[in-house]
Amino acid sequence: MAEEMKMVEPGRGKRKFFKTQGHKKSSKKAKVMPPQHGQKKVKIDKKMKKLFRKRAREYNSDDEEDDEATVPATLEPKSLASITNKRNDKDGIESEDRSEDEGAAGPQKTWNKNATDMNYHSSDDEGEDDDEIQPGITKFTEGCRAFKMAFRNLMKKSVPDDMLGPILSGQRKLVVDKLAEEEAERKVKGEAKKEKQMLAEKGHVKPATYLDSHEKFLISVATKGVVKLFNAVNKAQTAQRGLDPSRTKDAKEIRKRTKQAFFSELGKPSLPAIGTTTKAKESTDRVEDEQPAWAPLRDNYMLTSSKLKDWDKMPDKNVSDDMGKTSEDSSSDED
Amino acid sequence: MRKKKQGFRRPVVIKKPKQPQEQPSVDPITGKKIPKSFVFSRGKLPAPLKQLQMDLRKLMLPYTALSLREKKRNNLRDFLNVAGPMGVTHFFILSKTATSSYLRVATTPQGPTLTFKIHEYSLAADIARSQLHPRCPKDLFKNSALIVLSGFVSGDPPLQLTTNMFQNIFPTIDVKTVKLSTCQRIVLLNYNKDTKLIDFRHYSIRLQPVGVSRRIRKLVQSHQVPDLRNLQDVSDFVTKAGYGSESEADEEAATVTLSSDIGRVNRASTKSAVKLQEVGPRMTLQLVKIEKGLCSGEVLFSEYGKAGGKGKSDDEMQGEEDSDGDEDEEDQDGDHPEDSEDKDQDLD
């Protein structure tokens, strides 16, 4: 009971302070008087508990203050809405005043205020004070620590001395790397092109401007061939000059000369076409001579056997020769 | 009034389109079929080989398709189908691998196919660039080339087949009726026994009069006016004959007597010197493989010793035929001029 009486007295003291501060606020407070009385009775029990807890925590250290800060938040929602609004307003005002005082005075005033709070023994006031102070202090300290760490890191870094400075020197290195890569790519492409060209040019030889012994030998061989051909043509065409193929006698002579020339060029001895031998002997000799000469030649060139027969028929009679020619024509037509 | 109207009328002239000259498929003189050829490539060829292909087409003129086009999707069957109605008898196929290039010479429609490895080649442009005075008269490619085979004396069947193939590629000539003015080019195939390489050369034939001083010959052959400033009389131009170079020394072996006039200078019944100048292309070939069919079929010969199946009766028969050919060709190929005689044989 005595404790209860003591609790009521400091409440009245607080009210007086508020009245002195502002006229408007005093009028509002008068209106609110009756409901606060009812709530106070209920709060006494809670306040007693809080006081005991605070006393125990004060003996320990700052941890108690943190706990106190958390407690009033829970109490506020329980009270009525209207009452909570008014209390919030009062709390705001008180916090503003105290923050101003702290900023102006310094550490000494903060200690004084703490003492005053303990004297009053009001849980709300003490909690509010703690809340206000801690975040500012922690933020500042955190900022200090962060800055300290960053500064230390910067100082620890060992940057090589460059005229361009660290950032520009890095850029310069990047450019150098890019150029090196480009050059490497060009080299690779160039090598690939060279390989391709080497493959394409394989076997392609540029001839010398002079004629070496091999080339001279080849030219001499070709010249001999051309000379032989031209001489043969000359002989053949000179021999048959002045002869008219339409006449029978001239035709016979032309045939004889062609055969003689052919055999002479072959290098084989030709039989004397002109002589006292009889016609029958001549025909038989021609057949014998021509067969071994012509048959293998035909075989060489993969000719059909029918052509062989045609050639066999030719020397027998003029009519047979004509038949052979017609057969040749027919074969050509078929082709 | 009526007369005036009639006068104003213009006559209508209908122009007939000129038809292209058709090439004969059969020689009118000898009655034999004129061989024609296609030169094309299989696979993608680099630029120098494409140029070689063009040079080969020019070499085979006038009996070849100079502007033959081919696409990736064309296969050998397509060319074969076109070759039939056009009378094409031979294919020249160029191809390239990582190791080297290859030239295939095939007879249509059923082969055989000879595969040559191209060891070295020079283009016509390269050869022209290497000469002081490259020569290319306008009618050089209007007639087909002659062929000279040298060194194919040994009686090996593959060489005989090669000889027959190349002899049949170029049209035969009739000694009795040919005009020497049409003989403008010559193809030389020289076989080296030791290295087994075939030298392929292409020359143009030129005739120079013999027994005429150098200045007069130059004056007659070219149309340039000589420089007479240092001479006091026109007779000095004839009297003071300059010395000819060693290469111009006239050899008895290189002179021929002509049966008809050729050009403005070389007259009939007078001697002329034969001069050959290389036209290109130039190739060094090696016979690598012979296949029975057209780029397919049985392998009759392989330089790398992979030929098989010689025990078969077909091979034996072919062997016999080849042996017959051996004897004849030995006699024929004893000397170089016999090559031309081979042509005579063909004619007769």
Side-chain angles (χ1 to χ4, degrees), chain A residues 72-299:
Chain A
T74 58
L75 293 173
E76 289 177 357
K78 292 181 179 179
S79 64
L80 294 172
S82 62
I83 295 167
T84 55
N85 289 329
K86 291 178 180 179
R87 285 182 179 179
N88 287 328
D89 294 335
K90 291 179 181 179
D91 295 336
I93 296 163
E94 290 175 356
S95 66
E96 288 177 359
D97 295 335
R98 288 175 183 176
S99 65
E100 289 175 357
D101 295 335
E102 289 176 0
Q108 293 179 357
K109 290 184 178 180
T110 55
W111 286 105
N112 292 327
K113 287 182 180 179
N114 289 327
T116 56
D117 292 333
M118 293 177 71
N119 292 328
Y120 287 115
H121 299 288
S122 64
S123 65
D124 292 337
D125 296 335
E126 289 178 357
E128 290 175 357
D129 293 335
D130 293 333
D131 291 334
E132 290 173 1
I133 293 165
Q134 286 179 358
I137 293 167
T138 56
K139 287 180 181 179
F140 185 72
T141 55
E142 288 178 357
C144 293
R145 290 178 183 176
F147 183 78
K148 192 175 184 181
M149 295 293 290
F151 191 76
R152 282 182 182 176
N153 287 332
L154 286 175
M155 294 305 291
K156 284 179 182 177
K157 284 182 180 178
S158 61
V159 178
D161 294 337
D162 279 335
M163 297 296 292
L164 301 175
I167 294 171
L168 290 179
S169 69
Q171 180 68 19
R172 192 180 186 182
K173 289 179 180 177
L174 281 178
V175 171
V176 170
D177 290 342
K178 285 186 179 179
L179 291 177
E181 284 182 3
E182 285 182 1
E183 285 184 1
E185 285 183 2
R186 286 178 185 174
K187 284 185 179 179
V188 172
K189 288 185 179 179
E191 287 179 359
K193 276 188 179 179
K194 283 186 179 179
E195 287 182 0
K196 217 171 185 180
Q197 200 169 3
M198 287 292 288
L199 278 181
E201 291 284 340
K202 190 167 188 178
H204 186 201
V205 177
K206 296 293 178 67
T209 55
Y210 58 91
L211 292 176
D212 57 349
S213 60
H214 189 55
E215 294 298 324
K216 285 182 179 177
F217 167 72
L218 291 179
I219 287 180
S220 67
V221 168
T223 304
K224 287 179 184 176
V226 174
V227 168
K228 291 290 179 179
L229 175 66
F230 280 27
N231 286 334
V233 168
N234 187 30
K235 286 181 182 179
Q237 294 188 1
T238 306
Q240 71 179 6
R241 191 173 295 173
L243 294 177
D244 190 358
S246 62
R247 295 178 184 178
T248 55
K249 290 183 180 180
D250 294 344
K252 287 183 181 178
E253 286 182 1
I254 287 170
R255 288 176 190 170
K256 289 181 181 178
R257 290 184 180 181
T258 54
K259 290 177 183 176
Q260 287 178 2
F262 180 70
F263 287 133
S264 66
E265 287 175 0
L266 274 179
K268 294 178 179 178
S270 63
L271 297 177
I274 303 169
T276 58
T277 58
T278 61
K279 292 181 179 180
K281 290 183 180 180
E282 286 178 359
S283 64
T284 55
D285 291 337
R286 290 178 185 176
V287 170
E288 289 177 359
D289 293 335
E290 288 176 1
Q291 279 182 354
W294 285 110
L297 296 177
R298 293 297 164 184
D299 292 338

Side-chain angles (χ1 to χ4, degrees), chain A residues 199 202-205 214-215 222 226 228-229 234 236-237 240-241 262 265-266 294 296-297 300-301 311, chain B residues 96 99 120-122 126 146 167 176 178 186 199 201 257 259 276 325 328 332 337 341 344-346 348:
Chain A
L199 278 181
K202 190 167 188 178
H204 186 201
V205 177
H214 189 55
E215 294 298 324
V226 174
K228 291 290 179 179
L229 175 66
N234 187 30
Q237 294 188 1
Q240 71 179 6
R241 191 173 295 173
F262 180 70
E265 287 175 0
L266 274 179
W294 285 110
L297 296 177
N300 288 336
Y301 297 104
W311 284 109
Chain B
K96 177 167 175 46
T99 52
E120 292 178 354
Y121 66 92
S122 298
D126 299 330
L146 313 173
Q167 280 179 351
K176 291 170 287 184
V178 70
I186 191 163
D199 293 305
R201 298 284 186 276
T257 304
S259 61
L276 298 185
D328 297 330
Q332 296 163 12
E341 291 171 359
D344 300 339
Q345 294 166 4
D346 297 340
D348 296 333

